[in-house]
Structure formats: C-alpha cells, structure tokens
Amino acid sequence: MRKLFIGIFFLGATFGFKAQYGTLNGILTRLEERKGINQNLEFVNIDNKKFVLIKDLADHTERNFIVIKGQQATYVEIFDDKATGESTSNVFSGDIIRSRKNIISLRADLLEGKKVPIPVTKTLLLTRQDGILYLIDVNNKDRWIDEESFSNPKIKAKK
C-alpha cells in the first residue's frame, strides 16, 4: 500500500513538473524573442524592405531610414531643428552583407553619389517580435522597425 501511494505521488509530481516546465519554456521563449536571440530568420526576405528609426531629442528630431534592395542599401538621415523648423538630410548609399545568424552589416560609402573617406557602418541584428520585423543596432541598441508593420492594417489587427 505504501509503495502504491509513493508511486501515485511520484507520477503526480512528474505531471506537475511537466506543466511547470511548459510554462517556464513559454516564458523563456518570449524573453529570447525580446532579446532577438535563438530565432531562425535565415529565410525571411528583407529585399525591398524599409526600416525606420525616429529619435525625438530636446533640440531636434532625427528620422533615419534604411532601404534594402537586394545587396544594395540606402541610408537616409533627416534632421528637423525644432527652433528654426529647418530640415537637413544626408543620403548615403552602399551595400549590405547578411550572415546566416541574422546579422546584417551595412556599409554606406557614397554620400549623394560622392565617395566619403570614412563610410557609415552599422551592424544590425534581424529579429521578429509579435510578428513585426526589427533591426537592432548591435552597438547602441537602437531598434529599427519595419515600415510595413505600422502602415499595413493587417499587421495592426494581429496585435
């Protein structure tokens, strides 16, 4: 009789741990998605994608765009001065290299068609969170969001 109770208790504890393991696994998966790690986005097509980053600072607003077309990329910086209302922009063009581990390297060495001595380089991590594609700058943690995600009503409905 004692062995039967110990056996039933052992089986019940095993199922209880299994349920807790499933919950913990789900929590860890969501945390990994937030960090952008352990995602297999190797087959996600980023051709003809536009990623946007907007920074609202005290004296000016920065709007940055990365437009990817094949192996070519265009990096646009737009600065809006809050005091004067003037906007200035820089349009860089160059190329990208995409590795298998969701890393994208941008090297823009042309400023409005003229070669610059020091190219603009960015190392970005491609990640997906809640069905939205992001590029996270590895150096400063800026998050570039896919423009389609906030301009497409179907994606908004998923949230």
Side-chain angles (χ1 to χ4, degrees), residues 96-150:
I96 63 164
I97 297 173
R98 183 174 177 182
S99 73
R100 293 184 196 176
K101 295 293 181 184
N102 304 334
I103 298 292
I104 297 171
S105 298
L106 168 70
R107 184 178 148 268
D109 58 349
L110 297 174
L111 173 60
E112 296 177 4
K114 296 180 182 174
K115 195 96 162 151
V116 291
I118 301 173
V120 175
T121 58
K122 297 212 175 280
T123 304
L124 306 159
L125 174 68
L126 179 66
T127 185
R128 178 181 286 153
Q129 187 176 4
D130 296 330
I132 300 172
L133 283 177
Y134 292 96
L135 291 177
I136 300 174
D137 193 328
V138 174
N139 297 318
N140 59 12
K141 305 296 186 235
D142 285 340
R143 293 172 57 99
W144 300 73
I145 188 169
D146 181 17
E147 182 192 37
E148 185 178 304
S149 64
F150 58 85

Side-chain angles (χ1 to χ4, degrees), residues 5-80:
F5 286 128
I6 291 174
I8 292 172
F9 176 74
F10 181 71
L11 285 174
T14 302
F15 287 121
F17 287 135
K18 204 175 209 181
Q20 289 176 358
Y21 173 76
T23 304
L24 288 174
N25 192 28
I27 291 170
L28 287 174
T29 302
R30 279 184 277 156
L31 288 173
E32 287 174 349
E33 281 182 357
R34 282 190 196 149
K35 288 266 189 188
I37 56 176
N38 293 338
Q39 293 184 7
N40 186 10
L41 300 176
E42 187 175 342
F43 301 107
V44 173
N45 186 12
I46 59 169
D47 194 21
N48 295 321
K49 289 276 187 188
K50 183 187 228 182
F51 293 91
V52 179
L53 169 68
I54 299 174
K55 291 182 185 178
D56 191 21
L57 303 172
D59 58 342
H60 69 282
T61 302
E62 293 180 21
R63 293 178 288 159
N64 300 314
F65 303 93
I66 295 176
V67 181
I68 301 172
K69 293 190 186 284
Q71 297 297 322
Q72 300 298 312
T74 304
Y75 173 65
V76 180
E77 299 175 325
I78 301 173
F79 301 99
D80 299 323

